[in-house]
Amino acid sequence: MTKRVRPSYSFEFKLALVERFLAGEPATALAEEAELSSPTLLKTWARTYRDEGEDALRPKPKGRPRGLSAPPPGEESELERLRRENEYLRAQNAYLGKLRALMDQKRRTR
């Protein structure tokens, strides 16, 4: 099966067509001249331009967005440091509780 390749249009191309469309030129004539698949595509660009401004016509980055980068070692936030300390203290408390229970059990069995 062959993949259908969608044409990619530059920001300048889209902006020029949208400005001409908003100036009063018919969408069908512009779409035909620019060899767009449909005048609806031009109308969509125009709506996006009106709603969000010209930057909305710029190409969007492809792929999955990068995650937040971890702070460099030694520069963790105070919140992260406190969370780690809290986790350590909980583990220590659980260990000491089990040790105490084990010692009590040994004393009872003597």
Side-chain angles (χ1 to χ4, degrees), residues 76-85:
E76 65 183 344
S77 69
E78 183 180 6
L79 180 61
E80 280 301 310
R81 185 184 60 76
L82 291 172
R83 283 183 177 160
R84 256 190 323 105
E85 183 179 348

Side-chain angles (χ1 to χ4, degrees), residues 50-99:
R50 272 188 244 118
D51 294 346
E52 302 172 37
E54 74 178 37
D55 283 338
L57 296 177
R58 293 192 186 278
K60 309 294 184 276
K62 293 191 183 335
R64 188 175 186 179
R66 293 178 178 226
L68 296 176
S69 61
E75 291 187 27
E76 65 183 344
S77 69
E78 183 180 6
L79 180 61
E80 280 301 310
R81 185 184 60 76
L82 291 172
R83 283 183 177 160
R84 256 190 323 105
E85 183 179 348
N86 196 10
E87 186 178 339
Y88 173 78
L89 292 173
R90 284 178 197 228
Q92 185 180 35
N93 193 22
Y95 172 77
L96 292 174
K98 288 182 181 183
L99 183 61

Side-chain angles (χ1 to χ4, degrees), residues 5-17:
V5 179
R6 289 186 183 172
S8 178
Y9 302 103
S10 72
F11 166 72
E12 293 79 14
F13 178 80
K14 291 178 187 179
L15 185 60
L17 283 177

